[in-house]
Amino acid sequence: MARKNQTLGEFIIENQSEFKYSSGELSKLINAIRLAAKVVNHEVNKAGLVDILGAVGDTNVQGEDQQKLDVLANEKFIQTLKNREIVCGIASEEEDDFIEVNSHDEQHQNKYVVLIDPLDGSSNIDVNVSVGTIFSIYRRVTPIGSPVTLEDFLQPGRNQVAAGYVIYGTSTMLVYTTGHGVNGFTLNPAIGTFYLSHPNMQFPETGQIYSVNEGNYSHFPQGVKDYIKYCQMEEEDRPYTSRYIGSLVSDFHRNMIKGGIYLYPKSSKASEGKLRLLYECNPMAYLAEQAGGKASNGFKAILDIQPSELHQRVPFFCGSRKMVEKAEEFMKIYS
Ligand code: P6P
C-alpha cells in the first residue's frame, strides 16, 4: 500500500512482489533509472550557466568537452542501464540502431530490453522550459542464451512490463507504472531522495484543456480541424483552454493532474505525425491507460499497434478518456 512520503526505494521493495517476473529485477531497473535521473537533473539544472561552464564543443574548466545535454543524458542512461546485469539491449532516440548489452553477459542471460527518449523536448532547455526523459521496459521475446534481436524491441506496447518518465520541471519527478497504477515521486535535491508525492495518479475522466500545436492547423486532417473548432465553441462546458508547452512530458503531466487531451496528429507536412511509437507514445500510452485515460492514433489504441521500425512515428491522441473518445468521433467521420 502506497504511503505518502514513502521513499522510492521503500516503495520499490514493498511492491516488488507485484512485479510478476522475479525478485530484485524491478529494483535494479528502476534504481538504474533513478540514479541516471539524478545525474541528468543535476546537469539540466545548471544548463543556464552554459556561458560560465562553456557551450557545446567548448572544454569546461575541468578540460572536459562540453556536451549537448541530450547527448549527455543519452550516455548517462545507457551507462547506468549497462552496469546492471539485467538488461540485454537498449534502444534510444539518440541511437540509429539498438545497443546489445553483453559486457557482463556473455551467456546472454539478461531478460529485459529498455527503450528511452533520454531528453525529450531538449530544444526547450535554452529557453528554460521543462524537459523530460521517457522510458519503456519489455521482457525479451527471443530465447535467453541468444543475442538480443530487433524483434525484442518491436513489441506492441501492450507487452510493456514497466514505463515512465522523469520531468525536469519546477521540481524533478519520476512517474512510473509496472502495471499496477501510476505513482509519482518528487526529488528532494538537498538529499537526493525521491519521495512518493503523487500516489495512484488518475486522469480525470474529462477535462477543459487541449494541447496541440495550432500553428499546424491548416495542415491537419479535417477531423482534427473539426475537433479543434469543437474545443473552441461557446457551448456546454466549452470553450476549453489551450495549453501547449512543446514538451510532451510536461503537457502530459499537467493533463494527467488537471484533465485534458494532448494531440500530435498527422498532417500534410508529417504523414505519420512527429512522435515516435516505441519510446514516446507507447510508454505514455501505458501510463495513460494505467491512470484511467486513453491513447490512440485517432482510430486504434496505441498499445495495440504492431511496430515495424525502431524509430517509426505515429499520430498521437492521449489524455482524459472522454476527450480522446470525442476526438476519435471526429476522426472517424472522415475515415
Ligand atoms: P512541435 C519535443 O520535440 C517533442 O517531441 C514533444 O516533446 C513535443 O510535444 C513536440 O515534440 C513539440 O513539437 O512540432 O509542436 O514543436
Side-chain angles (χ1 to χ4, degrees):
M1 184 60 195
R3 297 187 318 277
K4 269 265 188 182
N5 294 328
Q6 196 173 20
T7 68
L8 175 55
E10 291 165 340
F11 182 87
I12 291 171
I13 291 164
E14 289 184 19
N15 293 278
Q16 183 63 51
S17 58
E18 289 182 353
F19 195 54
K20 55 182 177 287
Y21 297 101
S22 71
S23 66
E25 294 176 324
L26 172 68
S27 307
K28 284 185 182 177
L29 270 177
I30 303 297
N31 276 324
I33 288 163
R34 170 171 66 165
L35 174 61
K38 291 183 198 175
V39 172
V40 171
N41 176 63
H42 176 70
E43 294 301 324
V44 166
N45 283 347
K46 68 180 184 181
L49 299 173
V50 69
D51 294 341
I52 299 169
L53 300 177
V56 170
D58 293 355
T59 53
N60 62 23
V61 291
Q62 290 83 13
E64 297 157 351
D65 291 340
Q66 199 66 23
Q67 292 178 303
K68 276 170 65 71
L69 275 175
D70 44 12
V71 172
L72 179 138
N74 186 52
E75 287 178 2
K76 292 302 176 191
F77 275 92
I78 289 173
Q79 182 186 346
T80 48
L81 288 167
K82 274 185 169 178
N83 293 343
R84 270 44 179 198
E85 295 172 24
I86 177 173
V87 171
C88 58
I90 303 170
S92 169
E93 196 261 353
E94 295 286 330
E95 305 284 341
D96 291 341
D97 202 353
F98 66 83
I99 298 167
E100 183 183 343
V101 178
N102 56 17
S103 44
H104 306 291
D105 182 29
E106 291 75 13
Q107 304 308 315
H108 308 294
Q109 295 302 302
N110 293 349
K111 303 188 193 69
Y112 296 92
V113 296
V114 181
L115 299 96
I116 55 171
D117 184 354
L119 207 59
D120 181 70
S122 52
S123 58
N124 289 311
I125 286 180
D126 296 345
V127 294
N128 207 1
V129 167
S130 301
V131 292
T133 296
I134 307 171
F135 62 90
S136 172
I137 301 170
Y138 295 83
R139 188 177 170 78
R140 69 178 294 181
V141 289
T142 55
I144 297 279
S146 60
V148 71
T149 71
L150 182 61
E151 186 186 354
D152 294 305
F153 295 92
L154 298 184
Q155 299 184 51
R158 198 69 68 190
N159 291 4
Q160 291 174 96
V161 295
Y165 57 82
V166 183
I167 178 169
Y168 309 100
T170 46
S171 60
T172 295
M173 284 190 68
L174 172 59
V175 178
Y176 79 97
T177 182
T178 58
H180 301 277
V182 177
N183 291 286
F185 298 81
T186 299
L187 178 66
N188 177 342
I191 57 174
T193 300
F194 281 99
Y195 287 93
L196 180 62
S197 53
H198 296 67
N200 190 29
M201 297 183 82
Q202 288 287 311
F203 263 102
E205 194 178 40
T206 189
Q208 303 279 306
I209 296 171
Y210 70 103
S211 307
V212 64
N213 183 340
E214 297 193 50
N216 297 324
Y217 181 86
S218 61
H219 302 282
F220 284 148
Q222 192 57 45
V224 174
K225 290 179 178 177
D226 291 359
Y227 177 66
I228 290 173
K229 288 303 171 201
Y230 169 86
C231 294
Q232 295 169 342
M233 286 170 74
E234 292 276 350
E235 195 177 75
E236 299 169 351
D237 59 344
R238 285 162 285 133
Y240 296 153
T241 295
S242 175
R243 286 285 183 275
Y244 190 69
I245 299 172
S247 173
L248 168 61
V249 170
S250 305
D251 281 314
F252 179 97
H253 188 78
R254 182 209 50 246
N255 289 348
M256 181 157 63
I257 291 171
K258 295 194 168 193
I261 183 172
Y262 171 97
L263 309 94
Y264 209 104
K266 72 178 185 181
S267 71
S268 54
K269 294 193 299 184
S271 61
E272 290 304 316
K274 173 182 183 183
L275 300 187
R276 310 288 187 169
L277 172 60
L278 291 185
Y279 40 79
E280 289 176 327
C281 299
N282 268 337
M284 302 312 271
Y286 188 27
L287 289 163
E289 289 201 3
Q290 283 288 313
K294 190 167 185 184
S296 80
N297 62 2
F299 303 94
K300 176 177 182 180
I302 291 288
L303 296 181
D304 293 334
I305 296 174
Q306 174 55 53
S308 54
E309 292 170 24
L310 208 49
H311 300 288
Q312 78 183 73
R313 303 174 195 266
V314 288
F316 194 51
F317 299 67
C318 180
S320 294
R321 182 177 57 79
K322 287 191 172 179
M323 298 181 85
V324 174
E325 287 171 352
K326 176 57 77 175
E328 288 172 336
E329 280 177 32
F330 282 96
M331 294 303 288
K332 283 169 184 148
I333 294 169
Y334 298 94
S335 60

